[in-house]
């Protein structure tokens, strides 16, 4: 799954601070990340609770022995919801983002989820293009069930910009 020189595994004890640092550094508008609550959680305790409530995939640079990025996903009925994908500044490459996404997709497939879902900022062309190129399609808000539309609105970095959020799904 991981490119040569990297490994992808589930989060281990003692990694929260490093993951928090990566999430907080990934605030550029043209990152690969879906609209992520993780980058807005300043409190380490709240960030820890966020991670523990989900499944966390960690990308490790084996040669440097450091965490390069992570993705967070969780079951939502028959949908596997990916709430974030963050890469450390030195590792912001499409192939690494794609490797994390592939790991999330494979896990979703193993557990027979119908689709992977996420929310992206409508103004974030790079994120939408990245996921679109990997089989994700945008679902109009009018076609979303209420609970999915609520997730879309909740993922907005600013409540006043909730209408800019787009739900993207990839059917498995």
């Amino acid at each position: 799954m991981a490119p040569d020189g990297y490994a992808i595994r589930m989060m281990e004890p003692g990694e929260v601070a490093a993951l928090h640092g990566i999430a907080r550094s990934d605030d550029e508008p043209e990152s690969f990340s879906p609209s992520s609550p993780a980058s807005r959680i300043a409190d380490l305790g709240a960030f820890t609770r966020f991670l523990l409530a989900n499944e966390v995939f960690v990308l490790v640079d084996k040669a440097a022995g450091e965490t390069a990025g992570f993705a967070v996903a969780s079951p939502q009925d028959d949908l596997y919801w990916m709430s974030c994908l963050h890469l450390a500044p030195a590792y912001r490459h499409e192939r690494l983002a794609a490797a994390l996404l592939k790991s999330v997709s494979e896990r979703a497939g193993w557990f027979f989820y119908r689709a992977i879902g996420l929310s992206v900022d409508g103004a974030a062309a790079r994120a939408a293009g990245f996921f679109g190129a990997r089989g994700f399609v945008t679902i109009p808000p009018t076609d979303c069930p209420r609970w999915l539309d609520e997730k879309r609105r909740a993922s907005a970095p600013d409540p006043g910009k909730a209408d800019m959020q787009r739900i993207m799904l990839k059917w498995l």
Side-chain angles (χ1 to χ4, degrees):
M1 283 187 268
D4 288 341
Y6 295 88
I8 297 175
R9 57 170 172 67
M10 300 310 276
M11 182 179 74
E12 296 177 352
E15 291 188 304
V16 172
L19 300 180
H20 189 244
I22 291 170
R24 301 286 293 161
S25 72
D26 195 8
D27 59 0
E28 63 185 57
E30 287 302 308
S31 75
F32 297 109
S33 186
S35 295
S36 169
S39 62
R40 297 187 304 271
I41 302 174
D43 178 66
L44 191 58
F47 185 75
T48 301
R49 288 187 294 279
F50 166 74
L51 293 180
L52 292 175
N54 295 282
E55 295 181 336
V56 183
F57 301 76
V58 177
L59 175 70
V60 178
D61 178 339
K62 293 192 293 189
E66 64 185 25
T67 303
F70 70 103
V72 177
S74 63
Q76 305 286 314
D77 295 321
D78 59 353
L79 176 71
Y80 199 51
W81 184 259
M82 190 167 81
S83 56
C84 68
L85 186 157
H86 293 292
L87 296 168
Y91 296 97
R92 291 195 183 129
H93 305 288
E94 191 169 321
R95 72 184 177 95
L96 298 178
L100 273 169
L101 179 59
K102 184 175 181 183
S103 291
V104 171
S105 296
E106 287 181 1
R107 183 154 177 93
W110 294 337
F111 291 99
F112 304 105
Y113 292 103
R114 291 181 56 199
I116 298 172
L118 52 92
S119 177
V120 296
D121 182 337
R126 186 175 188 188
F130 171 77
F131 291 109
R134 284 153 183 84
F136 284 78
V137 295
T138 299
I139 307 300
T142 54
D143 292 344
C144 290
R146 179 182 216 138
W147 69 269
L148 195 52
D149 192 54
E150 288 171 4
K151 285 192 93 49
R152 177 183 71 83
R153 292 180 172 285
S155 66
D158 175 356
K161 296 183 179 180
D163 288 336
M164 294 289 296
Q165 292 301 119
R166 300 183 345 189
I167 293 290
M168 297 185 80
L169 296 178
K170 178 180 181 179
W171 302 104
L172 301 175

